[in-house]
């Protein structure tokens, strides 16, 4: 299979250790390689993998406690992160992809996706600030189930 071949090629070139190659979930990689999302990525004219960012965000946004929000008003936090993948769609807008290894399926996938909403909002804010381009959507791709959950990232 192609996925397994790619794993071995990366091992041969020194990108993966023998141990890491043995742990690769080739069936999940093959499922992703056949997905509509993968086709969209491959057809893009601009793809960024492991997009590193540093942005300042409002400290008050990191708590639900109203009294703490008041204390933190006007303060900022430096947030650093890495976005798994960003690509430009055919209209020029950005799409953010975050790959997840959570072992969930079906209804659990949608529930779990909700827990990542703040993370995706931060990613969208960072990407827009750093590129000057609008982010059209954020996508969570769950490798275990091969399921995709899309959001507006807002």
């Amino acid at each position: 299979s192609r996925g397994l071949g790619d794993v071995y090629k990366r091992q041969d070139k020194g990108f993966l250790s023998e141990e890491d190659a043995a742990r690769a979930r080739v069936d999940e990689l093959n499922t992703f390689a056949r997905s509509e999302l993968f086709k969209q990525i491959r057809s893009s004219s601009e793809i960024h993998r492991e997009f590193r960012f540093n942005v300042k965000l409002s400290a008050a946004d990191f708590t639900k406690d109203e009294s703490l929000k008041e204390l933190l008003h006007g303060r900022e936090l430096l947030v650093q992160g890495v976005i798994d993948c960003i690509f430009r769609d055919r209209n020029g807008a950005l799409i953010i992809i975050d790959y997840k290894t959570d072992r969930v399926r079906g209804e659990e996938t949608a529930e779990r996706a909700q827990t990542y909403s703040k993370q995706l909002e931060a990613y969208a804010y960072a990407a827009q600030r750093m590129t000057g381009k609008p982010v059209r959507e954020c996508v969570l791709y769950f490798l275990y189930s091969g399921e995709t959950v899309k959001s507006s990232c807002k």
Side-chain angles (χ1 to χ4, degrees):
S1 83
R2 181 165 186 255
L4 188 57
D6 287 347
V7 168
Y8 289 132
K9 270 191 233 171
R10 283 173 176 69
Q11 181 186 344
D12 289 345
K13 291 182 179 181
F15 293 116
L16 283 176
S17 68
E18 187 175 325
E19 185 179 306
D20 287 340
R23 281 194 300 237
R25 297 183 186 145
V26 176
D27 56 334
E28 293 174 7
L29 296 174
N30 285 332
T31 298
F32 177 64
R34 290 187 303 270
S35 71
E36 190 57 40
L37 180 58
F38 185 73
K39 288 175 191 161
Q40 283 181 293
I41 296 167
R42 292 216 33 190
S43 69
S44 176
S45 62
E46 184 178 342
I47 304 167
H48 302 277
R49 292 177 186 85
E50 301 293 319
F51 184 87
R52 298 182 185 288
F53 67 87
N54 298 303
V55 293
K56 289 183 180 178
L57 299 175
S58 167
D61 289 344
F62 289 88
T63 183
K64 293 180 181 178
D65 181 315
E66 291 303 319
S67 59
L68 191 52
K69 277 186 186 286
E70 286 180 37
L71 281 172
L72 295 173
H73 181 73
R75 294 190 173 200
E76 293 181 313
L77 292 174
L78 177 63
V79 177
Q80 299 176 318
V82 179
I83 300 170
D84 291 336
C85 181
I86 300 176
F87 69 94
R88 189 178 305 276
D89 70 11
R90 63 183 160 275
N91 298 319
L94 299 177
I95 297 176
I96 292 173
I97 303 172
D98 194 34
Y99 303 108
K100 296 299 180 190
T101 58
D102 307 50
R103 293 189 164 279
V104 293
R105 289 189 188 281
E107 289 178 24
E108 283 183 294
T109 304
E111 290 170 14
R112 187 66 56 88
Q114 290 177 343
T115 67
Y116 294 113
S117 62
K118 285 287 185 198
Q119 177 188 2
L120 294 176
E121 286 175 24
Y123 283 4
Y125 178 79
Q128 191 158 348
R129 286 270 313 267
M130 292 182 70
T131 66
K133 306 286 185 211
V135 175
R136 183 172 62 84
E137 114 186 312
C138 292
V139 179
L140 293 171
Y141 182 82
F142 289 85
L143 290 156
Y144 177 73
S145 63
E147 293 175 274
T148 301
V149 178
K150 298 178 180 184
S151 85
S152 64
C153 328
K154 293 177 176 83

